[in-house]
Amino acid sequence: MDHQSPASYQTAVETAWPVGLGTGPGRILLLGPPGVGKGTQAREMERLWGIPHISTGDVLRSKVTQGTSLGRLAQGIMKRGELVPDSLVCEIVATRLQEPDTFCGCIFDGFPRTLGQAVWLEGRLAELGPGSSIIAVGIRMAHKHLLRRITGRRTCPMCQTVYNVYFNPPKREGLCDIDGAALVQRTDDSEQVFEERMRAYEMLSAPVVGHYRALGRFVSVNGDRPIGEIAAEIASTVARLRQ
Ligand code: AMP
């Protein structure tokens, strides 16, 4: 359902982004419940504008796979669908923001998730100088659609292509179309863990949304549409707020 040709998608975003693709949108925060498509939008924006996608969930999963001390600490918490302590995720982000590819802009995905993280990030960005403020984009979707997106999600461990057994199945069941690898389901993509993550999201995101709304830097877009339409709306609303 979410598919659109790259050419028409590019055109839609270019039209929506009046200052030109080379300029970039600065620092963007994508907010939304698990499965709403934040990662997809972030990767597309990364491709279009060449600014990095910072996903604390991805960093934590790679720490778990590498078996680092942080990964061992986070593993149980993530399996239960709970939140990793602010101090750990802030440390991950602080390290990432020292890398030069983030200086002109980046897309935060899954961070900040709590008011404490949001306040910490504002302070950290203020130290980096003027013009580094965040625009928060909330992506919204009905609960029943989110549940199918999450429980149907399968990923190729080789090329990271993401499928969905309901909306976007592979040609051969359980196997990646590109390299034939056996697809895997994230351990936290079960219905039970999804409901726990939704509860945590709803409880904790309200103050984060309120924080950016009070600063006049929050916009909300409907996520139940083709990828390109959502991206074009994000581009135009961010451009408007940056003027
Ligand atoms: P995600 O891939 O963003 O859905 O994150 C997967 C899991 O990583 C979450 O359910 C949390 O356990 C943990 N996590 C990721 N980002 C954060 C964050 N900003 N604060 C706390 N926990 C996080």
Side-chain angles (χ1 to χ4, degrees):
M1 68 167 198
D2 275 332
H3 297 278
Q4 200 171 349
S5 77
S8 67
Y9 167 74
Q10 180 102 11
T11 307
V13 175
E14 279 172 2
T15 308
W17 187 252
V19 290
L21 282 174
T23 316
R27 291 198 169 85
I28 305 286
L29 159 62
L30 293 178
L31 284 168
V36 81
K38 299 185 297 291
T40 304
Q41 286 300 324
R43 279 186 290 275
E44 290 303 303
M45 292 165 86
E46 182 177 37
R47 188 176 63 78
L48 283 164
W49 284 299
I51 55 173
H53 166 204
I54 302 179
S55 157
T56 41
D58 284 351
V59 176
L60 287 164
R61 275 185 290 281
S62 80
K63 304 260 177 219
V64 170
T65 310
Q66 290 158 16
T68 65
S69 54
L70 197 154
R72 283 196 298 278
L73 204 70
Q75 191 167 27
I77 302 174
M78 292 170 76
K79 262 199 185 133
R80 292 191 299 276
E82 295 166 3
L83 289 185
V84 171
D86 285 359
S87 57
L88 293 185
V89 281
C90 290
E91 196 183 314
I92 288 172
V93 173
T95 307
R96 188 68 185 86
L97 286 176
Q98 282 166 3
E99 292 170 32
D101 65 325
T102 66
F103 292 176
C104 292
C106 61
I107 306 133
F108 291 104
D109 164 17
F111 181 93
R113 256 183 169 84
T114 65
L115 187 56
Q117 292 173 15
V119 171
W120 173 87
L121 185 61
E122 285 295 314
R124 187 74 198 87
L125 293 179
E127 287 168 23
L128 296 177
S132 43
S133 65
I134 283 192
I135 291 181
V137 178
I139 309 179
R140 57 179 195 276
M141 188 180 289
H143 184 281
K144 63 174 189 230
H145 293 153
L146 286 171
L147 181 62
R148 279 162 70 87
R149 279 183 160 218
I150 284 282
T151 55
R153 181 158 64 183
R154 303 289 183 275
T155 309
C156 172
M158 302 282 285
C159 67
Q160 310 307 320
T161 300
V162 180
Y163 298 86
N164 186 291
V165 296
Y166 304 113
F167 312 123
N168 176 32
K171 292 192 183 78
R172 286 175 301 157
E173 197 183 325
L175 300 177
C176 179
D177 293 347
I178 296 164
D179 49 37
L183 301 178
V184 293
Q185 183 175 26
R186 267 169 54 175
T187 50
D188 58 354
D189 275 353
S190 68
E191 182 168 351
Q192 192 190 359
V193 175
F194 167 76
E195 296 297 351
E196 177 56 42
R197 290 167 73 201
M198 278 300 286
R199 265 193 299 278
Y201 171 76
E202 279 161 10
M203 197 174 70
L204 292 165
S205 69
V208 176
V209 170
H211 173 79
Y212 289 104
R213 210 192 281 278
L215 293 170
R217 291 198 253 117
F218 176 77
V219 290
S220 171
V221 299
N222 173 13
D224 202 6
R225 290 177 300 163
I227 293 169
E229 271 183 47
I230 304 167
E233 189 181 339
I234 292 176
S236 63
T237 46
V238 169
R240 205 180 55 236
L241 282 182
R242 287 277 182 229
Q243 273 165 9

